């Protein structure tokens, strides 16, 4: 699959350039809006099927602009496809001249099924997006940042399930442990270039992914029930988190003030898991 933009506007500004994958909804959308409000130019990246939502997001971000300057661009990319991810990075560089921040957020969760009953194909499907996709994003963003020679920030999406495995989420948990390993390895490799690499590990965050999750074996059969009933019991703060709370952490970790933090996968989980 190739990567394309719906329209391209040259930007000559000195804004930081950020790419966010899986930006059409949920955490990725909140991160894109937050980084745009922080002053970044953002490439909002998702699958072709999400082009309409990405265009709305781009318009919302450009409406923040006081002087008509373009502050966002839609970039269609499938993170499982190596050419697509390379083209995503090249597109941001072509439009803005650089890449400063890569937020590798795209991920999928399969229906929750007991370990011994899950379709074997879940392994390839989930690892492809959550682990391979993150690897490609880290890798090609890292190559570009090293070439530029002025550091950078790479941020990945792990999970509380990337710290402790559970029945019903075996392949998802494995993929999110992979993101932690990748984050540590990339941080080790890229530190000497001034590039930090960190990941968020959310617990229950209210997004389309989790809203639509049901857990029939525990009696949760309708969308939203897991959030309303189970999530508040699992963290010491007793509630579900918001995408904006994850975005607030991303805003910090990509800031200059977070320049001495790298290789970390940080829980944003209302106290579900203590490291
Ligand atoms: P979401 O609502 O499902 O949004 C994910 C976005 O990624 C969707 O727009 C999705 O498009 C897109 N996407 C899927 N496959 C892709 C691909 N191959 N290439 C590019 N984009 C792709 O998920 P979310 O809840 O915001 O989660 C964001 C990240 O945080 C994920 O990595 C997730 O695993 C992680 N996370 C979330 C939670 C939580 O409680 N929400 C907890 C722990 C970790 P389609 O919808 O068209 O597939």
């Amino acid at each position: 699959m190739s990567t394309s933009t719906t329209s391209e506007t040259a930007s000559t500004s000195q804004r930081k350039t950020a790419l966010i994958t899986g930006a059409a909804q949920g955490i990725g959308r909140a991160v894109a809006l937050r980084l745009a409000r922080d002053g970044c130019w953002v490439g909002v990246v998702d699958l072709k099927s999400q082009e309409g939502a990405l265009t709305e997001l781009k318009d919302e971000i450009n409406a923040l602009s006081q002087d008509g300057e373009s502050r966002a661009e839609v970039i269609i990319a499938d993170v499982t496809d190596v050419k697509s991810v390379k083209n995503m990075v090249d597109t941001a560089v072509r439009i803005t001249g650089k890449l400063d921040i890569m937020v590798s957020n795209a991920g999928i969760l399969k229906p929750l099924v007991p370990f011994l009953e899950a379709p074997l194909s879940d392994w390839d499907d989930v690892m492809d997006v959550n682990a391979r996709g993150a690897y490609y994003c880290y890798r090609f963003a890292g190559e570009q940042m090293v070439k530029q020679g002025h550091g950078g920030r790479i941020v990945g999406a792990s999970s509380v399930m990337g710290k402790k495995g559970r029945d019903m989420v075996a392949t998802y948990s494995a993929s999110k442990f992979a993101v932690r390993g990748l984050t540590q390895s990339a941080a080790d490799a890229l530190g000497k270039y001034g590039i930090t690499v960190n990941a968020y590990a959310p617990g229950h965050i209210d997004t389309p992914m989790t809203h639509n999750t049901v857990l029939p074996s525990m009696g949760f059969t309708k969308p939203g029930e897991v959030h309303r009933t189970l999530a508040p019991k699992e963290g010491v703060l007793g509630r579900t988190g918001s995408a904006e709370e994850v975005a607030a952490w991303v805003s910090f970790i990509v800031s200059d003030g977070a320049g001495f933090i790298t290789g970390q996968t940080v829980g944003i989980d209302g106290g579900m898991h203590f490291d």
Side-chain angles (χ1 to χ4, degrees), residues 2 8 12 18 36 58 63 79 90-91 96 108 115 130 145 159-160 179 199 203 208 223 231 273 275:
S2 65
E8 292 182 8
T12 53
K58 171 190 158 176
V79 297
D90 290 348
T91 301
T96 70
I108 60 168
F115 178 70
N130 296 5
M145 289 170 185
S159 166
V160 67
V179 171
H273 174 85
D275 281 324

Side-chain angles (χ1 to χ4, degrees), residues 24 64 75 106 168-169 182 192 200 203 207 209 213 229 238 271 274:
L64 299 171
I75 303 178
M168 310 281 180
V169 288
L182 184 63
K192 59 179 170 290
Y200 39 90
T207 69
M209 173 189 276
T213 296
T229 315
F274 295 147

Side-chain angles (χ1 to χ4, degrees), residues 1 21-30 45-50 53-54 76-81 84-85 104-109 128-130 133 156-162 172 175-176 179 200-212 227 240-241 243 246 268:
M1 177 189 274
T21 65
Q25 63 186 38
I27 293 170
R29 188 176 201 283
V45 183
D46 213 299
L47 297 168
K48 177 80 181 157
S49 55
Q50 293 278 22
L54 288 179
I76 302 300
D78 179 342
V79 297
T80 67
D81 181 84
S84 195
V85 177
S104 167
N105 166 77
I108 60 168
L109 172 68
D128 229 23
V129 180
N130 296 5
S158 182
S159 166
V160 67
M161 301 301 162
Y172 183 80
S175 73
K176 295 304 184 180
V179 171
Y200 39 90
H204 290 276
I205 307 294
D206 192 7
T207 69
M209 173 189 276
T210 48
H211 181 81
N212 296 325
H227 274 326
T240 299
V246 181
I268 305 173

Side-chain angles (χ1 to χ4, degrees), residues 9-18 41-43 70-73 89-100 148:
T9 313
S11 168
T12 53
S13 81
Q14 294 306 303
R15 297 182 181 285
K16 283 187 178 160
T17 297
W41 179 96
V42 294
S70 176
R71 301 270 301 273
E73 193 52 80
V89 172
D90 290 348
T91 301
V93 174
R94 180 155 38 85
I95 297 172
T96 70
K98 61 193 172 67
L99 176 64
D100 304 297
Q148 291 169 184

